């Protein structure tokens, strides 16, 4: 039954090409767990989807920290909306550089996360720079959907 359902869903997905989703992530001074956050901090996307970072408060921007091979790194301008078209499958980690110490960071998975090992080794280098709420990085990595 479960398998039949997944097959039906897969068929639906195949039957609807070009239905790229648009995801929105807000940059906030005060999130649900306190402090500066990207909300939601994790987005599960498909190739062709777009993520738009929206400033909810001022002083934030977004810079990629780890991207899959073949994907372009990105960096936005402070206080401006910024969209990223996600064409490359894999796991992406990003940060708000001025608030890195407070673990203002997030992650996006696009399709299969074939670059997990690379992301984990990059994350190990990032972890010591996180003074407060470093567990957010662990939480981001815990979101990796393996298949
Ligand atoms: Cu920030």
């Amino acid at each position: 039954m479960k398998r039949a359902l997944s097959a039906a869903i897969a068929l639906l997905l195949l039957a609807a090409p070009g239905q790229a989703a648009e995801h929105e992530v807000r940059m906030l001074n005060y999130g649900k767990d306190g402090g500066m956050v990207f909300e939601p901090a994790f987005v599960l996307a498909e190739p062709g989807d777009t993520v738009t970072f929206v400033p909810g408060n001022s002083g934030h921007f977004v810079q990629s920290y780890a991207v899959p091979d073949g994907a372009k790194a990105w960096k936005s301008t402070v206080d401006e909306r910024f969209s990223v078209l996600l064409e490359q499958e894999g796991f992406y980690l990003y940060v708000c550089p001025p608030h890195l110490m407070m673990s203002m960071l997030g992650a996006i998975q696009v399709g299969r996360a074939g670059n997990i090992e690379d992301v984990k080794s990059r994350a190990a280098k990032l972890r010591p720079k996180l003074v407060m709420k470093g567990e957010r990085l662990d939480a981001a990595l815990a979101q990796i959907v393996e298949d």
Side-chain angles (χ1 to χ4, degrees):
M1 179 60 196
K2 204 169 178 185
R3 184 173 294 174
L5 191 60
S6 338
I9 290 169
L11 275 175
L12 274 175
L13 292 174
L14 284 173
Q19 296 293 306
E22 293 187 18
H23 309 268
E24 216 172 80
V25 174
R26 307 213 308 145
M27 304 185 275
L28 301 172
N29 284 353
Y30 208 80
K32 290 182 189 107
D33 70 342
M36 300 180 175
V37 291
F38 288 100
E39 215 168 78
F42 178 72
V43 168
L44 187 57
E46 290 300 324
D49 287 3
T50 301
V51 171
T52 299
F53 295 91
V54 181
N57 300 106
S58 65
H60 307 289
F61 67 99
V62 60
Q63 182 170 12
S64 57
Y65 180 78
V67 300
D69 281 347
K72 261 201 275 179
W74 75 78
K75 184 180 179 181
S76 78
T77 303
V78 68
D79 294 343
E80 287 187 9
R81 279 176 79 97
F82 182 76
S83 292
V84 182
L85 173 63
L86 301 158
E87 295 178 294
Q88 206 68 39
E89 280 198 303
F91 200 82
Y92 297 66
L93 268 182
Y94 60 83
V95 300
C96 173
H99 305 124
L100 182 59
M101 283 199 323
M102 288 168 261
S103 300
M104 185 167 170
L105 55 84
I108 303 165
Q109 179 167 343
V110 181
R112 266 193 81 252
N115 61 331
I116 292 172
E117 291 315 311
D118 178 52
V119 168
K120 284 183 178 166
S121 75
R122 295 294 313 277
K125 292 184 184 113
L126 183 62
R127 192 66 165 79
K129 298 178 185 164
L130 309 175
V131 178
M132 292 165 62
K133 298 186 183 288
E135 64 275 8
R136 281 185 188 163
L137 179 59
D138 310 325
L141 295 175
Q143 300 279 357
I144 293 174
V145 180
E146 301 194 46
D147 57 7

